[in-house]
Every structure is written in structure tokens, then in C-alpha cells.
Amino acid sequence: MGMKTSVTPKVSFKTQMLQAREEAIIHMVNRLLAEKGFEAMTVDEVAAGVGIAKASLYKHFPSKEDLACAAMVYLMRRAQVFLAELPQEPPPLEKLQMVVRWTMELKLAGEMPSLPSQNSSLRATLIASKDYMNGLIEVSDVLGGWIEAAQAEGTISPGIPAIVVLYTLFARACDPVLEFLKMGGQHDDKQIVDLVMATCFQGLNAR
Amino acid sequence: MGMKTSVTPKVSFKTQMLQAREEAIIHMVNRLLAEKGFEAMTVDEVAAGVGIAKASLYKHFPSKEDLACAAMVYLMRRAQVFLAELPQEPPPLEKLQMVVRWTMELKLAGEMPSLPSQNSSLRATLIASKDYMNGLIEVSDVLGGWIEAAQAEGTISPGIPAIVVLYTLFARACDPVLEFLKMGGQHDDKQIVDLVMATCFQGLNAR
DNA sequence: GTCTATAATCAGATAGAC
DNA sequence: GTCTATCTGATTATAGAC
């Protein structure tokens, strides 16, 4: 970010090292959040996982909540990148399905951070985070546009409020059905995703 | 349980008092589990809510896990009573819908305890609890029978494995869509239940 | 910025009198 | 069985040297 990067590569290098370390931290937090959730994750674990002292962690992130928030911001960025890289041709319904499929695969791969929907201190941090909120809003806007387009096309039921469709799609990212089926061991990941996709979009009722 | 209950009512009365207190504890735990979840719930809160000392609580239940387990056993009993009292005439699909509706109303009323799907110490306690497991199995068996009957009738899609249908129905009890819609304030409880019922059984796709 | 060592706090569980 | 008071351990967070 400095204006002398070409003359003082050392500074840039140092910055890169720091950034790399922060990325390592965020990856670790992301994994632990996916594995055990916010409350069960401890800062000690994060530090040990990254291989640095806990005090050093606190130089990068002022609190446990900020750690989780950073992981959520990272997730939002990944989502934005995924949305941006989606091909434009497919009809909106198919793009929505690709997104849902992606989030489920992320969850099955143990990379989908799971937050307690209740924890107030964490919620406060998330809501106060401009990066997180902006990312969430942009993702919601893009998906919301596709939902309305799909409803206009008649591929998604126009009777359901778009916000309900949006929440229903988001909720697939933390659907316990995925874990239960994975625990059952009767299906592989692809089958699980297909099954949940089918129940989500086609419903349980016969057609 | 003693064989002299008619001669020594005092014992019976004492027992009843104890049982009443345990019920009060379980109700409190149930409410707190619904409100904040297992990890955020503290034993101090439970004791304070019931109006007894924490040490007294530990005379009734040996650990926090056992507290939560008792609440889950209570929930299973409620479910069993609900199933047993359902009218027999309706077709299986309608009975399943009534059950799902009931669980959602319970959740919206703040009476559906929410457990972390990951916490291992709690899982161990639950799995070790005969009362809980038996209740869960019986409920699953009853619902499983209805699911297969509905699939045989052709009202529920026969292509979906029954276990997936069962999990999908169970998952409505902890569906974050319910909370999000409630937080949004745009719909009352009945509308929310109807919306989620519709997406669950009919799917998002237009018909 | 990174470390070791330590504070400060909170929550699950228990001791021991009554 | 119920209480007050306490223990114990875990966990978030920080002080201070380098």
C-alpha cells in the first residue's frame, strides 16, 4: 500500500509475511469454527494450530469475536468471488442451484464456519463490521435478483416471498441433515448433496 | 412407589414435592436451552431461575449434561404424547404435517430446546440415556412408518430414502429460517409456519 | 511483533454445616 | 435435601521483556 514499494521491497515483504500469517490464522479459525462452533473453539487452540503464541494472536485480532468475524468476512469474500465467476448464460434457477450446491460442498468439506444464531456478543461484532455487512448485503442482493428473475420466469414458485426463498437457501449452509447423513455413512458426499438439493427445490411431496 | 402409600401419605407428599421441583427445574432448563442453547446456558441461571441453590440442583442432576438430557427426555415424552393423541383417520402425509407443524410452533413459542449438534460430552450423555434413546427411537419408528405409508400411497416422493425424509422433518425443529422470519417482523407465527411448511413439502420450484 | 508468564474472570462442581 | 462458601479448572485477555 506504500508509495515506495518498488524502492523498498523489504517493507512490502514484511507486509506480505504479516498478511500470510493472518491468512493462516483465518484459515485455522475457519476450520475450527466449522468443526466445533464458536463457543467450543478456544483461542489457545487457534494459536496452537497456527503455531504462534496466544499473545501474538491478540496483536492481530483484539478479541475472539474479531477472530470469528474475520473468518466470516473471508467466507463472504469467497462467496463474492464464486458469484462473480459464475457463467452468465444459465437461467437464474440454475445459478441459484449452483450456489447452494457450493455451500453444501463447503460444509461437507469442513470449511463452512458455523455460528451460534443466538450469541449476542458475536452478533454485535458482526453487525458492526462493515466488511462483513457489505459482503452479506452484496451476496444477498445478487441472490435476491436471481430469485426474482426465477420467479418471473416461473421456475421458482412466485407465491413464496423472495426473502423466504433467500433464507431457505442460506439455511442449507448449516443444514443438520447434511451432517446426519454423513454420519450415517450410507451415502457419499455427492449423493448427500443431490438428496438435499432435491428436497430443497422439489419438496418432499410427490409430483 | 412404596407399598404403604395409603398409610404414610407424608412420604408420598414429600415425593410429590420433589417431583414437582424436578419438573420446575426441567421446565427452566427447557426454556433456557431454547433461548440460548446448551453452551450459553449456565447452571447458575438454572438455579436462580428455579429459585434454589446451585448445590441443590446438583443433588437432583449430577451434571449440566444430565440437566440438558432431562429436558430432552421431557421433550421426547411430549412428542410421544402428541403422536399418541393424534387422530388415526387422516392419511399419513397429513399426520406428518401435523407433527412438523407442532414442532415449529414449539420452536416459535420458545419451548424447543436447541442442542449443539457437535458437543461430544453432551452427545455421550444423550446416547447413554436409555430414556432418551428409547423415546427417540419410538418417535422415529412411528414417523418412519407414516413416511413409508405416505410413499406407498404416492403422497410423499418415493424416490427419497425414508431416512432423508425423517431427518428433513426433524430438522424443521431447529430451522433458522423460523427465527430469521420472526426477527424480520413481517409475518406472524402462523404465516411463518405456513411458509416453511410450504417450502418443506412443496419445494421452492414452481409446480 | 513475538514470546513467556500472569492476571482476571467465569462456570462447573463440591464440602460441610444444618 | 438445602443452604453458604469454596474449590478447581478452563479461558479470555494482558504485562512486560526482547
Side-chain angles (χ1 to χ4, degrees), chain B residues 16-54:
Chain B
Q16 275 186 9
M17 290 301 293
L18 279 186
Q19 222 166 340
R21 182 161 295 207
E22 292 206 348
E23 271 173 37
I25 294 172
I26 290 175
H27 272 93
M28 195 67 213
V29 171
N30 196 68
R31 229 196 56 193
L32 288 172
L33 282 181
E35 193 179 310
K36 22 200 337 182
F38 177 74
E39 322 228 19
M41 175 186 83
T42 70
V43 179
D44 291 84
E45 279 174 331
V46 178
V50 180
I52 63 176
K54 184 162 54 165

Side-chain angles (χ1 to χ4, degrees), chain B residues 107-124:
Chain B
K107 177 163 177 66
L108 286 172
E111 295 176 31
M112 177 62 74
S114 78
L115 305 181
S117 45
Q118 311 109 335
N119 185 321
S120 52
S121 76
L122 181 52
R123 286 191 81 82

Side-chain angles (χ1 to χ4, degrees), chain A residues 41 43-44 54-55 58 64:
Chain A
M41 175 186 83
V43 180
D44 291 83
K54 185 163 51 168
Y58 276 96
K64 185 185 176 184

